[in-house]
Amino acid sequence: MAGTLKQSPLHDRHEALGAKFAEFGGWSMPLEYPTGVVKEHTAVRESVGIFDVSHLGKAMVSGPGAADFVNATLSNDLAKIHTGKAQYTLCLDESGGIVDDLIAYWHDDEHVLLIPNAANTAEVVRRLQAEAPEGVKVVSHHDDYAVLAVQGTHSDEVLEKVGLPTGHEYMSFVEAELGDTGVGVVVCRTGYTGERGYELVLVNSAAGQLWDELMAAGEEYGIAACGLGARDTLRTEMGYPLHGQDISLDTNPVEAGLSWAVGWKKEAFWGRDAVQKVKEEGPRRRLRGLVAVGRGIPRPGMGVTLTQDVPLADITSGTFSPTLKKGIGLALIPVMVAEDAEVGVDVRGRREIFQLVKPPFVDTSVKES
C-alpha cells in the first residue's frame, strides 16, 4: 500500500516539481519529472543533473577493529585502498550468491560507512550484526540521512558555488560543512551514471536547504532534477548491474563480471570457497551486453534466443539508450555463445536481432581527474 511507503525528506520538493512517483525498495521516490526521462538523461551526459537517492541504505560499522571486520566479511579488499577512500564491494552468502552490492567508505580503522541498496539494507545489517565481534557495532541509519547525487560534466562548478569541496580523486570522499550551519556533509566522488559527479550524505533536516542551494547554483548550467528512471537508463548505458535484476542470490561475482570486486588474495570473506570454485572451474554464463541491430527495445523478462528454437536466457535489464538512440540490454548468456554473436530477443512476439557486446555501451568521463 502506498501509505506504508517511506518518503524522502525531499518529498515536498519533488511534489512541487511535478514528479511522478514510484516504489523503490519500500520508498516512494521520483521516477521522472515533467521534462521526461530522455531530457533528464541528456542533461547528465551533457551538463549536470541532481538526483535524490535518499532511499539508499546507510549503516555505520564502528568500534575497535571495525575495518578489519568489514574486510573479513565483504568481498573486496580494503587493503587495496586507504582511509578517505571508497570501495565497491559485495555481500555474499556462503553459496557465493550476491546478497547485495554496496559502497564502503573507510573513514578510519574504527569507522566504515556502508551504503547498501534500499531493499537489502536490513538484510546486510542483520548479517553483519550477527557476526560482529565484541566491541564492534553495526547500526542502520537508513532513515536518518539523505543522499543527493550531483552528476555530469558541470558537477564541480555547481558544488563549488555552494562552497563544497571538489576535485578529489575518483572513489574518495571529503568531510565538509554546509555553509556556516555546522551541518556535516560527506562529499563522495562516486555515482551510478558513468559521468563525473558526487554523492552527498547529510542529515535529513538539512537536505532541503542543500537541494535548494544546488538547484539555484546549477541554474546557469541548465541543471535538471532527475528521477530514478534516468538513473536507470544512465547506469544501463554503463553496464552497471542492478541488484534484483542483473545480480541476485542466484548470481555469483564471476558470472556477473564482478571478479574485480573480489579480494582473491584475502584469507577470509563470506562465500570465499564457493566463488573460488567458480573461478577455478569457470562460470556457465556471463553478464553480457546486447545492442539492437534494428529498432527493438528490450525489457526485463524478454526471452533471448540463439536461433528461433534455442533459448539462451532472459533480459535482466533493458531500455532505450538516449545516447545511442538504440535499444540496449543485459542478460546472463551461456559462455558457449560467441562474444560477438547475433541473438534474437522476443519483443512482444517479434524476434528482433541484437549484437552481443562488452559493456559499457558509451564512453563517459567517470574517471577523469
Side-chain angles (χ1 to χ4, degrees):
M1 290 173 56
T4 64
L5 295 179
K6 294 180 180 180
Q7 290 186 352
S8 155
L10 296 166
H11 193 84
D12 61 336
R13 263 67 171 184
H14 306 315
E15 284 186 324
L17 290 169
K20 176 183 176 183
F21 292 89
E23 187 271 338
F24 285 87
W27 291 65
S28 175
M29 298 298 293
L31 178 66
E32 62 178 306
Y33 299 87
T35 46
V37 169
V38 172
K39 285 191 176 178
E40 294 167 24
H41 177 112
T42 304
V44 173
R45 287 278 182 253
E46 296 181 357
S47 184
V48 65
I50 180 172
F51 301 78
D52 176 10
V53 287
S54 299
H55 64 305
L56 294 176
K58 286 76 62 174
M60 180 63 78
V61 184
S62 63
D68 289 338
F69 170 60
V70 169
N71 209 29
T73 53
L74 304 184
S75 70
N76 215 333
D77 189 354
L78 281 178
K80 294 178 185 174
I81 62 170
H82 52 77
T83 57
K85 293 278 282 184
Q87 185 179 68
Y88 179 85
T89 189
L90 306 168
C91 177
L92 305 177
D93 75 354
E94 287 310 306
S95 73
I98 302 172
V99 177
D100 196 28
D101 63 332
L102 58 160
I103 305 285
Y105 295 94
W106 189 2
H107 286 258
D108 56 50
D109 289 348
E110 296 193 7
H111 297 87
V112 181
L113 174 68
L114 303 178
I115 307 285
N117 285 292
N120 301 327
T121 298
E123 180 61 14
V124 169
V125 168
R126 183 193 70 77
R127 287 173 181 251
L128 289 167
Q129 285 175 338
E131 298 289 335
E134 188 174 350
V136 172
K137 293 192 298 183
V138 182
V139 179
S140 174
H141 296 286
H142 201 165
D143 302 337
D144 305 327
Y145 288 84
V147 185
L148 280 64
V150 180
Q151 302 281 299
T153 51
H154 289 298
S155 53
D156 285 53
E157 292 94 324
V158 173
L159 262 66
E160 285 163 7
K161 285 184 72 175
V162 301
L164 291 176
T166 63
H168 38 293
E169 278 185 289
Y170 180 58
M171 295 299 284
S172 69
F173 61 94
V174 175
E175 296 182 66
E177 283 190 7
L178 178 59
D180 55 4
T181 63
V183 172
V185 183
V186 182
V187 181
C188 315
R189 182 98 141 70
T190 51
Y192 197 44
T193 66
E195 294 298 338
R196 185 181 183 87
Y198 300 84
E199 292 177 312
L200 314 171
V201 184
L202 76 167
V203 291
N204 284 345
S205 58
Q209 178 184 338
L210 180 56
W211 174 276
D212 294 344
E213 289 185 12
L214 290 166
M215 288 291 282
E219 192 171 349
E220 67 177 284
Y221 304 104
I223 194 170
C226 301
L228 298 188
R231 191 166 183 260
D232 192 59
T233 56
L234 288 157
R235 71 91 192 167
T236 304
E237 286 188 345
M238 287 303 295
Y240 292 157
L242 175 63
H243 196 279
Q245 289 186 198
D246 311 297
I247 54 176
S248 68
L249 276 170
D250 297 324
T251 319
N252 63 67
V254 181
E255 62 188 9
L258 298 174
S259 290
W260 58 271
V262 176
W264 297 106
K265 295 179 180 178
K266 289 201 303 184
E267 289 184 9
F269 58 87
W270 291 339
R272 184 182 185 278
D273 292 346
V275 293
Q276 186 69 41
K277 187 168 185 274
V278 175
K279 184 188 179 191
E280 290 169 0
E281 295 178 355
R284 294 179 296 105
R285 55 185 189 165
R286 284 194 183 277
L287 191 64
R288 306 285 300 285
L290 301 89
V291 177
V293 172
R295 299 177 63 183
I297 299 174
R299 300 295 182 192
M302 290 180 174
V304 183
T305 54
L306 187 58
T307 64
Q308 192 82 37
D309 304 319
V310 181
L312 293 175
D314 289 335
I315 296 290
T316 54
S317 285
T319 191
F320 172 76
S321 163
T323 305
L324 299 180
K325 310 277 194 293
K326 291 181 180 178
I328 60 171
L330 298 169
L332 286 155
I333 302 291
V335 293
M336 57 85 172
V337 179
E339 290 188 0
D340 60 350
E342 287 192 344
V343 297
V345 176
D346 182 357
V347 180
R348 299 183 188 86
R350 234 177 28 254
R351 188 170 187 269
E352 295 282 354
I353 302 302
F354 282 71
Q355 179 92 42
L356 293 183
V357 298
K358 184 177 180 180
F361 298 95
V362 299
D363 293 327
T364 67
S365 62
V366 65
K367 292 185 181 177
E368 288 179 7
S369 59

